[in-house]
């Protein structure tokens, strides 16, 4: 049966996954705008039903690793890129797992250290730490940090850091209504009850159950950096399926993955975060600036992509915003034009896409992507529109000149297939 037939058998509304309860493993640490695990699994499974030769899966913007973890659960070798070191750590821990036997011994030790009032540790510091954390919280988190650093196994330390991420977010002075860093009111800050240590220990005791047992043999090929630069790490014609949800565009008005991640990043020991360019974590907005939709990379104004769909759209929005959208679309499509070489002939690219608004006009990213890939030796297989029934984003993702920008409530799955040689 063809993939189209397999997917078209599903009823309308099937893809909404309205009852989806995010599977445990994906709950061990929060990340903005995550995908629906059941849906990604179903998509990958459907492709595997049609093509039995699939061995690996590439997610070039892997985020918290939903696609890669679901792909790995179906027996595929995961390969991924993300510019955000926090996304990389979360995904790595979900894929590599934790040595459960050693964890039990380690847990005993860390618990003793954390309840010991005589344990000596340095107070951690970074720019503006006092703006984002109350003094007593800094003390508790510093104690945890020093205790984690005493652990000898890297896979356990990385697991502990992931268990700490939710605590860092929860006990910081940032509001939860936005992904951007905004300080809570004094009253709300004073209202925070300091249960950091017990929450952290509880996280350790529950999350490991969802993870695989650590094994050195398990292949985890994850890289931190700009996908545009990392693609060359992959051999041509070596990938069996590309499955991803790429960034939607302008970081200032959509999802600030980087800003959301900076506080945890500044607490985690740099040595456990993997290899990446230091400039990425120079300040609170450096990841977002370096991301797709951040600062214009295309400064010499060479736009190799021209499309009537894009021009018609640009004509509808404020002139001052056109260049930024054009740059984003250009950088975004440049990634896809390079990705196509990595996919084997006749294999699929499965994209979950959001069409965000600029000036209240919907940027037709799905149509643009489809048109572009069709010109790049791909055939269009299927497009599925789905409602996003559970809000995985704050309703307001940003405040632009006091106009609230609403988050999207529909997304599209675009399935394209590379032509044979
Ligand atoms: C829509 S999210 C992916 C969400 C993910 N599928 C999940 O379920 O968690 C897009 C991801 O692209 C990453 N990103 C943005 N620009 C990038 C770039 N130039 N290179 C690599 N990753 C980038 C962001 O850090 C973010 O994690």
């Amino acid at each position: 049966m063809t993939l189209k037939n397999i997917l078209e058998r599903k009823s309308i509304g099937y893809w909404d996954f309205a009852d989806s309860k995010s599977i445990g493993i994906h709950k061990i640490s929060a990340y903005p705008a995550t995908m629906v695990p059941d849906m990604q699994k179903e998509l990958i499974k459907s492709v595997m039903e049609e093509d039995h030769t699939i061995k690996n899966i590439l997610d070039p913007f892997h985020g918290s690793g939903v696609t890669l973890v679901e792909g790995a659960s179906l027996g595929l070798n995961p390969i991924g890129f993300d510019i955000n070191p926090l996304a990389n750590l979360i995904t790595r821990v979900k894929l590599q797992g934790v040595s459960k036997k050693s964890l039990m011994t380690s847990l005993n030790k860390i618990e003793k250290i954390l309840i010991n009032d005589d344990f000596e540790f340095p107070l951690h510091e970074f720019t503006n730490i006092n703006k984002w954390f109350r003094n007593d919280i800094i003390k508790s988190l510093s104690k945890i940090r020093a205790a984690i650093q005493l652990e000898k196994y890297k896979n356990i330390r990385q697991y502990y850091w992931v268990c700490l991420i939710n605590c860092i977010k929860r006990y910081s002075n940032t509001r939860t209504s936005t992904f951007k860093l905004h300080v809570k009111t004094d009253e709300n800050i004073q209202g925070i009850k300091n249960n950091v240590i017990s929450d952290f220990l509880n996280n350790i005791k529950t999350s490991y159950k969802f993870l695989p047992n650590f094994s050195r043999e398990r292949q985890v090929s994850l890289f931190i950096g700009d996908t545009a630069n990392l693609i060359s790490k992959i051999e041509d014609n070596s990938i069996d399926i590309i499955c991803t949800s790429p960034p939607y565009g302008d970081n200032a008005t959509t999802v600030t993955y980087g800003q959301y991640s900076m506080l945890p990043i500044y607490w985690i020991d740099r040595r456990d975060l993997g290899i990446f360019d230091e400039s990425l974590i120079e300040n609170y907005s450096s990841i977002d600036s370096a991301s797709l939709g951040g600062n214009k990379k295309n400064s010499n104004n060479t736009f190799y992509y021209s499309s009537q769909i894009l021009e018609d759209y640009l004509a509808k929005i404020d002139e001052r915003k056109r260049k930024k959208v054009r740059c984003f679309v250009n950088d975004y499509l440049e990634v896809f034009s390079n990705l196509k070489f990595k996919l084997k002939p006749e294999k699929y690219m499965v994209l979950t896409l959001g069409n965000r608004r600029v000036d209240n006009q919907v940027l037709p990213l799905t149509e643009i992507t489809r048109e572009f890939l069709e010109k790049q030796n791909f055939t269009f297989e299927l497009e599925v529109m789905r409602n996003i029934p559970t809000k995985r984003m704050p309703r307001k993702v940003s405040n632009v000149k006091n106009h609230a920008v609403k988050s999207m409530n529909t997304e599209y799955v675009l399935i394209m297939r590379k032509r044979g040689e």
Side-chain angles (χ1 to χ4, degrees), residues 303-339:
F303 298 106
Y304 67 91
Y305 169 71
S306 73
S307 139
Q308 201 51 48
I309 305 172
L310 179 63
E311 295 312 316
D312 290 349
Y313 169 73
L314 292 174
K316 288 191 270 181
I317 65 168
D318 186 331
E319 209 175 319
R320 285 163 299 180
K321 296 180 183 161
R322 287 181 196 158
K323 184 152 181 216
K324 185 133 195 172
V325 174
R326 210 188 271 281
C327 283
F328 163 71
V329 173
N330 194 80
D331 290 345
Y332 164 89
L333 293 176
E334 198 171 352
V335 170
F336 283 98
S337 72
N338 290 322
L339 277 174

Side-chain angles (χ1 to χ4, degrees), residues 367-381:
E367 247 183 286
I368 290 173
T369 312
R370 174 180 165 176
E371 182 198 57
F372 179 77
L373 288 174
E374 278 177 329
K375 286 184 191 159
Q376 302 274 322
N377 209 24
F378 279 79
T379 52
F380 168 75
E381 292 291 313

Side-chain angles (χ1 to χ4, degrees), residues 21-33:
K21 309 245 180 314
S22 191
I23 308 161
I25 189 167
H26 298 296
K27 285 196 171 159
I28 68 167
S29 184
Y31 191 71

